[in-house]
Amino acid sequence: SGKEEPVKIKIMANHEQANLSATDKKWVEQVQKDLNVELEFDIPPVTGYQERVQLMLASGDYPDLVYFPATNDQSFLNAVRDGLIVPVNDYIKNEESLMKYTYDVSWNALKVQQDEKIYGIPRTTVIRNDAFWVRKDWLKNIGFAIPDNSEITIDQFTEILTKFTKNDPDGNGKDDTYGYAAFADPNKVLQPILTSQFGELGWQKSEGGDFEYMDAMFDRSSDAYKNSLAYTAQLSKDGLLDPDSAVNNSTTSRERFIRGITGVMSGFAGHYGWHADELKKINPDADITYLFVKNEKDDKVEGVGYGVGLWGFWGLTKNAKNPQKVVDVLNYYLKDDVYPTMLIGYEGLDYTKQDGKMTAVEDKELAPVRLNTMRRAGDTEIYFSLTTPQDIIDMSTPWLNKSVESVVLSKNLDFTPEAAKKPDYMDYKKVWDQTIMKIVLGQTPVDEFDKLLAGWYDNGGEEYVKEMNEFIKSTDSGQ
């Protein structure tokens, strides 16, 4: 009788390299042996990935599993509508690890037909509330004592930006520094700098008003968003922002922070090593710390969680002959007895062991198939590796924990209403963007926002809010 034939599974993935490294090969062998499967990978070049997915979907030759970047990705939504991507509800029920280590909000975000059907398996990422990197050496020079809990008030944030701009924090005797490393977003708009601190927390249950759910930005009876605009406009007026802010993107604003032009930059708590190493190359005495700004009542730190816990996701196609086995493969990564190996790899290939201490091997190979296929909800350890010094782990862990614990989930789940795709709405979005930018740069009075918002409702906003409310009710994220 012998063993059953292994189940063949083809996976189309967006990984950094097409050829499997030795450590990835060893990982794949382990998965194949433990689950009696045979894995085949199709890994197009990262830059051409979207086009390859579209070609694949048009060709009718589907893999079992395909990676998509976002729930509002048009080729994914078309594939769901055409029945090429199938619901996974029946296959995830018994997958203990997958259910245990995935955010509920991620499953909800994958209910893209606004019913109970879930169209994909999350590639989880940690939902977090990002705060600010601040020059630690500059804080010392301006006489600012860093609180033990890394929390400061809005007034203290303003004080830091003011002194970083006006009190020669780098001690070079020149007036050549600025407080904040602001930058324009991908739509070339300079957004307000503190938003959640003034009560802009995305889509939440409404306190009265015409709709059950509301985003403070669109709330005609709330000043939350307007206050955040006014705050940033004041920073502009006082010259506390990088004068290049309007033309900087996130990369150039970071470069200027590293060069010591600015002293405060928004960013992710897990990136200490990345920023500090580059800073110290230019100035060995430079250092940074991480600070959270409390809300205007000064009673807590809270911010909208970035995204819905999806670092993309895996779509199951109708071609999968054994869909349960396909989902078993993804569940396998997260199992308690397997997960540590997934994270650190194999002795000899990824690390050496001496007196019980592990050391990363020199020139470690990339392991995207092992490391970048699945992750656990809430697990901040993935941001450290065997090469991360213990003192940096000890310093960053409280920051990471606070950024995870202070998250407020917006109920929109990255959903884009149909109203947003209509010509009037899209045209008005340009007016919106230009006006926000002018207000933030202090070129237009903040009260212009009232007119802007009224116009938004007249140009499809009303419809947008209605559709968003229907969506939130349909996904139960309103519970």
Side-chain angles (χ1 to χ4, degrees):
S1 61
K3 207 170 144 201
E4 282 180 39
E5 281 293 297
V7 175
K8 288 195 164 103
I9 296 172
K10 190 172 180 190
I11 299 171
M12 185 170 185
N14 188 12
H15 289 313
E16 299 92 308
Q17 56 183 30
N19 298 331
L20 303 195
S21 59
T23 176
D24 265 348
K25 279 189 182 136
K26 192 164 169 103
W27 170 259
V28 169
E29 280 163 22
Q30 179 183 321
V31 178
Q32 293 185 151
K33 184 168 151 290
D34 286 358
L35 295 180
N36 194 27
V37 291
E38 190 183 310
L39 303 181
E40 184 195 333
F41 292 90
D42 175 11
I43 304 175
V46 173
T47 46
Y49 185 78
Q50 287 295 89
E51 291 74 38
R52 280 286 294 276
V53 169
Q54 285 161 359
L55 288 170
M56 177 275 291
L57 290 169
S59 75
D61 180 17
Y62 315 122
D64 297 75
L65 204 58
V66 57
Y67 169 81
F68 290 101
T71 53
N72 53 16
D73 178 77
Q74 205 50 56
S75 53
F76 162 67
L77 292 171
N78 295 344
V80 167
R81 200 189 50 223
D82 299 341
L84 312 180
I85 298 293
V86 297
V88 298
N89 302 55
D90 292 344
Y91 313 115
I92 62 177
K93 290 201 288 263
N94 305 318
E95 304 285 21
E96 276 176 39
S97 304
L98 188 58
M99 298 314 287
K100 183 177 173 186
Y101 295 116
T102 304
Y103 294 107
D104 290 344
V105 66
S106 304
W107 296 121
N108 279 329
L110 285 160
K111 295 175 182 173
V112 291
Q113 297 278 52
Q114 293 172 47
D115 54 24
E116 284 307 302
K117 294 193 184 109
I118 297 167
Y119 288 92
I121 306 286
R123 176 167 83 161
T124 295
T125 184
V126 176
I127 301 179
R128 53 182 211 252
N129 162 35
D130 285 347
F132 301 98
W133 289 109
V134 183
R135 281 290 291 266
K136 196 174 176 178
D137 48 329
W138 288 15
L139 288 174
K140 194 169 171 233
N141 291 346
I142 64 162
F144 189 94
I146 300 166
D148 291 339
N149 65 0
S150 305
E151 296 179 9
I152 57 172
T153 64
I154 295 174
D155 286 347
Q156 287 175 314
F157 185 68
T158 314
E159 179 199 340
I160 290 169
L161 296 184
T162 307
K163 290 182 175 169
F164 277 9
T165 306
K166 303 189 168 159
N167 291 20
D168 189 24
D170 59 357
N172 69 354
K174 295 184 195 146
D175 181 10
D176 59 358
T177 55
Y178 298 92
Y180 192 74
F183 59 88
D185 69 10
N187 296 326
K188 307 227 182 329
V189 185
L190 197 58
Q191 300 290 354
I193 287 162
L194 298 182
T195 49
S196 57
Q197 287 80 0
F198 293 101
E200 161 50 285
L201 293 164
W203 287 89
Q204 303 298 341
K205 213 155 178 43
S206 168
E207 308 290 319
D210 308 333
F211 295 97
E212 198 175 333
Y213 299 97
M214 187 42 84
D215 182 330
M217 188 188 293
F218 307 128
D219 189 344
R220 289 175 279 208
S221 61
S222 160
D223 281 335
Y225 187 65
K226 206 170 147 183
N227 290 344
S228 76
L229 289 172
Y231 176 76
T232 308
Q234 190 62 48
L235 298 180
S236 291
K237 202 174 136 207
D238 294 341
L240 309 184
L241 306 182
D242 182 343
D244 285 5
S245 294
V247 293
N248 284 339
N249 60 24
S250 60
T251 308
T252 49
S253 86
R254 178 178 177 272
E255 281 164 8
R256 287 169 70 80
F257 176 81
I258 298 294
R259 276 169 41 208
I261 296 167
T262 52
V264 181
M265 165 180 83
S266 62
F268 167 53
H271 283 161
Y272 175 84
W274 180 40
H275 301 318
D277 290 352
E278 290 191 29
L279 260 175
K280 286 172 191 296
K281 271 183 212 151
I282 295 176
N283 174 0
D285 301 325
D287 200 2
I288 48 176
T289 189
Y290 198 68
L291 296 177
F292 295 82
V293 181
K294 292 188 277 198
N295 64 16
E296 47 179 353
K297 297 190 207 77
D298 290 344
D299 63 359
K300 62 175 163 187
V301 166
E302 56 181 354
V304 178
Y306 180 71
V308 288
L310 294 180
W311 184 35
F313 58 92
W314 299 100
L316 183 68
T317 76
K318 64 172 194 179
N319 271 25
K321 297 222 175 19
N322 190 333
Q324 188 64 62
K325 259 304 195 216
V326 177
V327 179
D328 286 351
V329 169
L330 298 177
N331 178 73
Y332 179 84
Y333 276 75
L334 305 177
K335 286 172 64 178
D336 290 345
D337 56 341
V338 170
Y339 193 69
T341 306
M342 190 277 275
L343 286 181
I344 58 174
Y346 301 94
E347 189 168 358
L349 287 174
D350 299 286
Y351 62 88
T352 52
K353 226 176 181 168
Q354 213 178 349
D355 306 327
K357 189 175 161 10
M358 293 183 188
T359 313
V361 301
E362 294 283 314
D363 302 322
K364 226 158 72 101
E365 293 186 306
L366 284 177
V369 171
R370 171 165 64 73
L371 277 171
N372 297 344
T373 299
M374 296 297 282
R375 287 179 171 184
R376 283 180 173 183
D379 180 15
T380 53
E381 280 178 48
I382 53 174
Y383 300 114
F384 305 125
S385 70
L386 288 173
T387 55
T388 313
Q390 190 58 45
D391 58 334
I392 289 179
I393 295 176
D394 295 342
M395 181 171 63
S396 307
T397 301
W399 300 336
L400 282 162
N401 290 345
K402 195 181 289 281
S403 71
V404 169
E405 286 153 14
S406 61
V407 162
V408 176
L409 290 171
S410 173
K411 297 180 182 300
N412 67 331
L413 306 182
D414 287 352
F415 173 70
T416 307
E418 283 304 306
K421 300 168 189 171
K422 297 193 171 152
D424 281 359
Y425 186 95
M426 288 165 83
D427 287 343
Y428 196 79
K429 178 83 172 67
K430 295 189 187 99
V431 178
W432 178 283
D433 286 349
Q434 285 159 355
T435 311
I436 294 296
M437 182 90 157
K438 282 184 182 150
I439 292 173
V440 163
L441 289 172
Q443 297 163 352
T444 294
V446 176
D447 283 339
E448 272 300 296
F449 182 72
D450 300 333
K451 240 189 286 181
L452 182 70
L453 187 58
W456 183 79
Y457 274 98
D458 292 342
N459 284 275
E462 190 83 30
E463 200 49 42
Y464 185 103
V465 176
K466 271 185 198 147
E467 287 174 15
M468 190 61 91
N469 270 266
E470 280 161 28
F471 171 76
I472 292 171
K473 282 176 200 144
S474 76
T475 55
D476 297 336
S477 69
Q479 300 309 311

Coordinates of all heavy atoms in Angstrom, one line a residue, residues 398-446:
P398 N 9.7 47.9 25.1 CA 8.7 48.7 25.6 C 8.0 49.6 24.6 O 6.8 49.9 24.7 CB 9.3 49.5 26.8 CG 10.6 48.8 27.0 CD 11.0 48.1 25.8
W399 N 8.8 50.2 23.7 CA 8.3 51.1 22.7 C 7.3 50.3 21.8 O 6.2 50.7 21.5 CB 9.4 51.7 21.8 CG 10.3 52.5 22.5 CD1 10.2 53.2 23.7 CD2 11.7 52.8 22.1 NE1 11.3 53.9 24.1 CE2 12.3 53.7 23.1 CE3 12.5 52.4 21.0 CZ2 13.6 54.2 23.0 CZ3 13.8 52.9 20.9 CH2 14.3 53.8 21.9
L400 N 7.8 49.1 21.4 CA 6.9 48.2 20.5 C 5.7 47.8 21.2 O 4.6 47.9 20.6 CB 7.7 47.0 20.1 CG 8.8 47.2 19.0 CD1 9.8 46.1 18.9 CD2 8.1 47.3 17.6
N401 N 5.8 47.5 22.5 CA 4.6 47.1 23.2 C 3.6 48.2 23.3 O 2.4 48.0 23.1 CB 5.0 46.6 24.6 CG 5.7 45.2 24.6 OD1 5.7 44.5 23.5 ND2 6.4 44.9 25.6
K402 N 4.1 49.4 23.6 CA 3.2 50.5 23.7 C 2.5 50.8 22.4 O 1.4 51.2 22.3 CB 4.0 51.8 24.2 CG 3.0 52.9 24.7 CD 3.8 54.1 25.2 CE 4.5 53.9 26.5 NZ 3.6 54.0 27.7
S403 N 3.3 50.7 21.3 CA 2.7 51.0 20.0 C 1.6 50.0 19.6 O 0.7 50.3 18.9 CB 3.8 51.1 18.9 OG 4.3 49.9 18.6
V404 N 1.7 48.8 20.1 CA 0.7 47.7 19.9 C -0.5 47.9 20.8 O -1.6 47.8 20.4 CB 1.3 46.3 20.0 CG1 0.2 45.2 20.1 CG2 2.3 46.0 18.9
E405 N -0.2 48.3 22.1 CA -1.3 48.4 23.1 C -2.1 49.6 22.9 O -3.2 49.7 23.3 CB -0.7 48.4 24.5 CG -0.2 47.0 24.9 CD 0.9 47.1 26.0 OE1 1.2 48.2 26.5 OE2 1.6 46.0 26.2
S406 N -1.5 50.7 22.2 CA -2.2 52.0 22.1 C -3.1 52.1 20.9 O -3.6 53.1 20.5 CB -1.2 53.1 22.2 OG -0.3 53.0 21.2
V407 N -3.2 51.0 20.2 CA -3.9 51.0 18.9 C -5.4 51.1 19.1 O -6.0 50.4 19.9 CB -3.6 49.7 18.1 CG1 -4.7 49.5 17.0 CG2 -2.3 49.8 17.5
V408 N -6.0 52.0 18.3 CA -7.5 52.1 18.1 C -7.8 51.6 16.7 O -7.2 52.1 15.8 CB -8.0 53.5 18.3 CG1 -9.5 53.6 18.1 CG2 -7.6 54.0 19.7
L409 N -8.7 50.6 16.6 CA -9.0 50.1 15.2 C -10.1 51.0 14.6 O -11.1 51.1 15.1 CB -9.4 48.7 15.3 CG -8.3 47.7 15.6 CD1 -8.9 46.3 15.9 CD2 -7.3 47.6 14.6
S410 N -9.8 51.5 13.4 CA -10.8 52.1 12.6 C -11.7 51.1 12.0 O -11.2 50.0 11.6 CB -10.2 53.0 11.5 OG -11.1 53.5 10.6
K411 N -13.0 51.3 11.9 CA -13.9 50.3 11.5 C -14.1 50.2 10.0 O -14.9 49.4 9.5 CB -15.3 50.5 12.1 CG -15.2 50.4 13.6 CD -16.6 50.6 14.3 CE -16.5 50.6 15.8 NZ -16.0 49.3 16.3
N412 N -13.3 51.0 9.2 CA -13.5 50.9 7.7 C -12.8 49.8 7.1 O -13.0 49.5 5.9 CB -13.0 52.3 7.1 CG -11.5 52.5 7.3 OD1 -10.9 52.0 8.2 ND2 -10.9 53.2 6.3
L413 N -11.8 49.1 7.8 CA -11.1 47.9 7.3 C -10.5 48.1 5.9 O -10.6 47.2 5.0 CB -12.1 46.7 7.2 CG -12.9 46.4 8.5 CD1 -13.7 45.1 8.3 CD2 -11.9 46.1 9.6
D414 N -10.0 49.3 5.6 CA -9.4 49.6 4.3 C -10.4 49.5 3.1 O -10.0 49.4 2.0 CB -8.2 48.7 4.0 CG -7.0 49.1 4.8 OD1 -7.1 50.1 5.5 OD2 -6.0 48.3 4.8
F415 N -11.7 49.6 3.4 CA -12.7 49.5 2.4 C -12.8 50.8 1.6 O -12.8 51.9 2.2 CB -14.1 49.1 3.0 CG -15.2 49.2 2.1 CD1 -15.4 48.2 1.1 CD2 -16.2 50.1 2.2 CE1 -16.5 48.2 0.2 CE2 -17.3 50.2 1.3 CZ -17.4 49.2 0.4
T416 N -12.9 50.7 0.3 CA -13.1 51.9 -0.5 C -14.6 51.9 -1.1 O -14.9 51.0 -1.9 CB -12.1 52.0 -1.7 OG1 -10.8 51.8 -1.2 CG2 -12.3 53.3 -2.4
P417 N -15.4 52.8 -0.6 CA -16.8 52.8 -1.2 C -16.8 53.1 -2.7 O -15.9 53.8 -3.2 CB -17.5 54.0 -0.4 CG -16.7 54.2 0.8 CD -15.3 53.8 0.4
E418 N -17.9 52.6 -3.4 CA -18.0 52.9 -4.8 C -18.1 54.4 -5.1 O -17.6 54.9 -6.1 CB -19.3 52.3 -5.3 CG -19.2 50.8 -5.5 CD -18.1 50.3 -6.5 OE1 -18.0 50.9 -7.6 OE2 -17.3 49.5 -6.1
A419 N -18.6 55.2 -4.2 CA -18.8 56.6 -4.3 C -17.4 57.3 -4.6 O -17.3 58.3 -5.4 CB -19.4 57.2 -3.1
A420 N -16.3 56.7 -4.1 CA -15.0 57.3 -4.2 C -14.5 57.1 -5.6 O -13.5 57.7 -6.0 CB -14.1 56.6 -3.2
K421 N -15.1 56.2 -6.4 CA -14.6 56.0 -7.8 C -15.4 56.8 -8.8 O -15.1 56.7 -10.0 CB -14.8 54.5 -8.1 CG -14.0 53.6 -7.1 CD -14.3 52.1 -7.2 CE -13.7 51.4 -6.1 NZ -14.1 50.0 -6.0
K422 N -16.3 57.7 -8.4 CA -17.1 58.5 -9.3 C -16.4 59.8 -9.7 O -15.6 60.3 -8.9 CB -18.5 58.8 -8.7 CG -19.3 57.5 -8.5 CD -20.7 57.8 -8.2 CE -21.5 56.5 -8.2 NZ -22.7 56.6 -7.3
P423 N -16.5 60.2 -11.0 CA -15.8 61.4 -11.4 C -15.9 62.6 -10.6 O -14.9 63.3 -10.3 CB -16.4 61.6 -12.8 CG -17.0 60.3 -13.3 CD -17.4 59.6 -12.0
D424 N -17.1 63.0 -10.1 CA -17.3 64.2 -9.3 C -16.4 64.1 -8.0 O -15.8 65.0 -7.6 CB -18.7 64.4 -8.9 CG -19.5 65.0 -10.0 OD1 -18.9 65.2 -11.1 OD2 -20.8 65.2 -9.9
Y425 N -16.5 62.9 -7.4 CA -15.8 62.7 -6.1 C -14.3 62.8 -6.4 O -13.6 63.4 -5.7 CB -16.1 61.3 -5.6 CG -15.5 61.1 -4.2 CD1 -16.3 61.4 -3.0 CD2 -14.2 60.6 -4.0 CE1 -15.7 61.2 -1.8 CE2 -13.7 60.4 -2.8 CZ -14.4 60.7 -1.6 OH -13.9 60.5 -0.4
M426 N -13.8 62.1 -7.5 CA -12.4 62.1 -7.8 C -11.9 63.5 -8.1 O -10.8 63.9 -7.7 CB -12.1 61.1 -8.9 CG -12.3 59.7 -8.4 SD -12.3 58.5 -9.7 CE -10.6 58.3 -10.0
D427 N -12.7 64.3 -8.8 CA -12.3 65.7 -9.1 C -12.2 66.5 -7.8 O -11.3 67.3 -7.6 CB -13.3 66.4 -10.1 CG -13.2 65.8 -11.5 OD1 -12.2 65.2 -11.8 OD2 -14.1 66.0 -12.3
Y428 N -13.2 66.3 -7.0 CA -13.2 67.1 -5.7 C -12.1 66.7 -4.8 O -11.6 67.5 -4.0 CB -14.6 67.0 -5.0 CG -14.8 68.0 -4.0 CD1 -15.2 69.3 -4.3 CD2 -14.5 67.8 -2.6 CE1 -15.3 70.3 -3.4 CE2 -14.6 68.8 -1.6 CZ -15.0 70.1 -2.0 OH -15.2 71.1 -1.1
K429 N -11.7 65.4 -4.9 CA -10.6 65.0 -4.0 C -9.3 65.8 -4.3 O -8.5 66.1 -3.4 CB -10.3 63.5 -4.4 CG -9.1 62.9 -3.6 CD -9.5 62.4 -2.2 CE -8.4 61.7 -1.5 NZ -7.2 62.4 -1.2
K430 N -9.1 66.3 -5.6 CA -8.0 67.2 -5.9 C -8.1 68.5 -5.2 O -7.2 69.0 -4.7 CB -7.9 67.3 -7.4 CG -7.6 66.1 -8.2 CD -7.3 66.3 -9.6 CE -7.2 65.0 -10.4 NZ -8.4 64.7 -11.2
V431 N -9.4 69.0 -5.2 CA -9.6 70.3 -4.5 C -9.4 70.1 -3.0 O -8.7 71.0 -2.3 CB -11.1 70.7 -4.7 CG1 -11.4 72.0 -3.9 CG2 -11.4 70.9 -6.2
W432 N -9.8 69.0 -2.4 CA -9.6 68.7 -1.0 C -8.1 68.7 -0.7 O -7.7 69.3 0.2 CB -10.2 67.3 -0.7 CG -10.0 66.8 0.7 CD1 -8.9 66.3 1.2 CD2 -11.0 66.8 1.7 NE1 -9.1 66.0 2.5 CE2 -10.4 66.3 2.9 CE3 -12.3 67.2 1.8 CZ2 -11.0 66.2 4.1 CZ3 -13.0 67.1 3.1 CH2 -12.3 66.6 4.2
D433 N -7.4 67.9 -1.5 CA -5.9 67.8 -1.3 C -5.2 69.1 -1.3 O -4.4 69.4 -0.4 CB -5.3 66.8 -2.3 CG -5.6 65.4 -2.0 OD1 -6.2 65.1 -0.9 OD2 -5.4 64.5 -2.9
Q434 N -5.5 69.9 -2.3 CA -4.9 71.2 -2.5 C -5.2 72.1 -1.3 O -4.3 72.8 -0.8 CB -5.3 71.9 -3.8 CG -4.7 71.3 -5.0 CD -5.5 71.6 -6.3 OE1 -6.5 72.2 -6.2 NE2 -4.9 71.2 -7.4
T435 N -6.5 72.1 -0.8 CA -6.9 73.0 0.3 C -6.2 72.6 1.6 O -5.7 73.4 2.3 CB -8.4 73.0 0.4 OG1 -9.0 73.2 -0.9 CG2 -8.9 74.1 1.3
I436 N -6.2 71.3 1.8 CA -5.6 70.8 3.1 C -4.1 71.2 3.1 O -3.6 71.7 4.1 CB -5.7 69.2 3.2 CG1 -7.1 68.7 3.3 CG2 -4.8 68.7 4.3 CD1 -7.8 69.2 4.6
M437 N -3.4 71.1 2.0 CA -2.0 71.4 1.8 C -1.9 72.9 2.1 O -1.0 73.3 2.9 CB -1.6 71.1 0.4 CG -0.1 71.4 0.2 SD 0.9 70.0 0.5 CE 2.3 70.3 -0.5
K438 N -2.7 73.8 1.6 CA -2.6 75.2 1.8 C -2.9 75.6 3.3 O -2.2 76.4 3.8 CB -3.6 76.0 0.9 CG -3.2 76.1 -0.5 CD -4.2 76.9 -1.3 CE -3.8 77.0 -2.8 NZ -5.0 77.1 -3.6
I439 N -3.9 74.9 3.9 CA -4.1 75.2 5.3 C -2.9 74.8 6.2 O -2.5 75.6 7.0 CB -5.4 74.4 5.8 CG1 -6.7 75.0 5.1 CG2 -5.5 74.5 7.3 CD1 -7.9 74.1 5.4
V440 N -2.4 73.6 5.9 CA -1.2 73.1 6.7 C 0.0 74.0 6.5 O 0.7 74.3 7.5 CB -0.9 71.7 6.3 CG1 0.4 71.2 6.8 CG2 -2.0 70.7 6.9
L441 N 0.2 74.6 5.3 CA 1.3 75.5 5.1 C 1.0 76.9 5.5 O 1.9 77.8 5.3 CB 1.7 75.4 3.6 CG 2.3 74.1 3.1 CD1 2.5 74.1 1.6 CD2 3.7 73.9 3.8
G442 N -0.2 77.1 6.1 CA -0.5 78.4 6.5 C -0.8 79.4 5.4 O -0.8 80.7 5.6
Q443 N -1.1 78.9 4.2 CA -1.4 79.8 3.1 C -2.9 80.2 3.0 O -3.3 81.1 2.3 CB -1.0 79.2 1.8 CG 0.5 79.0 1.7 CD 0.9 78.0 0.7 OE1 0.1 77.3 0.0 NE2 2.2 77.8 0.4
T444 N -3.7 79.4 3.7 CA -5.2 79.6 3.7 C -5.7 79.4 5.2 O -5.2 78.6 5.9 CB -5.8 78.5 2.9 OG1 -5.4 78.6 1.5 CG2 -7.4 78.5 2.9
P445 N -6.6 80.3 5.6 CA -7.1 80.2 7.0 C -7.8 78.8 7.3 O -8.4 78.2 6.4 CB -8.1 81.3 7.1 CG -8.3 81.9 5.8 CD -7.2 81.4 4.9
V446 N -7.6 78.4 8.5 CA -8.2 77.1 8.9 C -9.7 77.0 8.7 O -10.2 75.9 8.4 CB -7.8 76.8 10.4 CG1 -8.4 75.5 10.8 CG2 -6.3 76.7 10.5

